[in-house]
Amino acid sequence: HASPPPLLLPAQIAFRPLRLDAYDDCIEFTMETGSFVVPIRATIPTISSRVPSNVDFGFVPVNETGRTTFEVTNDGEVAIKWSLMCETPFTLTPTSGELSPGTSATISAEFAPKDASVYVASCICTVEGHSSHTIRIGGIGKFPFLSASTERVECGRVVTGGVVTHHVKLRNQSLVDA
């Protein structure tokens, strides 16, 4: 009478690295009946984030406010804390926050030019534990320019209760709303 084959139980291997390094190795087990290899791998969770490299407002009327949005995205494997700094006349809201992996925050950007000029600034997005991003943000302040089809409207003498109608066409000859 033959004895039953030995009972094989699942084994567990615990891997506790001593340093925060990536590992890609293997352990070879040799037994009477042969050998086998168990791969041992450990990866480091990555910190990664994404912002646009440029934000362009185009033409905005002087003393008005142009608005747009953009995203700060966490495309890494760990949560991140971020903050934004930008120069006037550009304003960003919110200026800081936290993002879980795979999520994004919508940033509201405003441009309020005080004169007819070209404005360019570098906004810095700092991510804790990671390198910072530079966002080039720009816009052009423009004065509206309206012209009328006539320089003067004369109604002459009008009797009380009477009505005189003149048509004047206004034309916006600028690149911005007026």
Side-chain angles (χ1 to χ4, degrees), residues 59 142-149 169-178:
F59 298 109
K142 290 290 254 181
F143 285 117
F145 179 69
L146 296 177
S147 63
S149 60
K169 289 186 180 184
L170 292 177
R171 189 175 346 152
N172 180 1
Q173 296 180 320
S174 65
L175 298 172
V176 295
D177 292 340

Side-chain angles (χ1 to χ4, degrees), residues 51-55 70 72 84 86 92 121-125 133-137:
V51 296
S53 56
N54 291 298
V55 175
F70 65 90
V72 173
L84 288 164
C86 199
L92 305 177
S122 292
C123 297
I124 306 299
C125 178
H133 303 279
T134 300
I135 305 167
R136 186 176 176 269
I137 188 166

Side-chain angles (χ1 to χ4, degrees), residues 104-124:
S104 297
T106 300
I107 308 303
S108 297
E110 293 185 348
F111 169 47
K114 296 298 179 197
D115 58 31
S117 296
V118 175
Y119 293 88
V120 178
S122 292
C123 297
I124 306 299

Side-chain angles (χ1 to χ4, degrees), residues 5-176:
L7 181 62
L8 297 176
L9 298 174
Q12 289 186 350
I13 298 174
F15 176 60
R16 293 188 182 97
L18 299 175
R19 295 185 315 263
L20 184 62
D21 288 334
Y23 291 88
D24 189 3
D25 209 343
C26 61
I27 299 174
E28 182 176 1
F29 292 90
T30 305
M31 301 170 32
E32 291 176 5
T33 58
S35 66
F36 63 95
V37 175
V38 175
I40 303 291
R41 289 188 185 96
T43 58
I44 299 171
T46 58
I47 297 174
S48 181
S49 55
R50 222 174 346 118
V51 296
S53 56
N54 291 298
V55 175
D56 184 12
F57 282 91
F59 298 109
V60 175
V62 171
N63 294 322
E64 299 276 336
T65 301
R67 292 175 177 81
T68 191
T69 61
F70 65 90
E71 302 277 318
V72 173
T73 301
N74 180 355
D75 56 359
E77 299 171 330
V78 294
I80 61 170
K81 290 183 181 181
W82 57 271
S83 63
L84 288 164
M85 288 187 353
C86 199
E87 302 167 1
T88 57
F90 303 102
T91 307
L92 305 177
T93 308
T95 57
S96 64
E98 294 183 32
L99 289 172
S100 300
T103 61
S104 297
T106 300
I107 308 303
S108 297
E110 293 185 348
F111 169 47
K114 296 298 179 197
D115 58 31
S117 296
V118 175
Y119 293 88
V120 178
S122 292
C123 297
I124 306 299
C125 178
T126 304
V127 178
E128 285 185 19
H130 193 249
S131 59
S132 61
H133 303 279
T134 300
I135 305 167
R136 186 176 176 269
I137 188 166
I140 300 171
K142 290 290 254 181
F143 285 117
F145 179 69
L146 296 177
S147 63
S149 60
T150 183
E151 290 184 20
R152 187 176 183 141
V153 176
E154 298 249 359
C155 294
R157 292 180 170 244
V158 179
V159 179
T160 303
V163 175
V164 174
T165 303
H166 290 281
H167 294 276
V168 177
K169 289 186 180 184
L170 292 177
R171 189 175 346 152
N172 180 1
Q173 296 180 320
S174 65
L175 298 172
V176 295

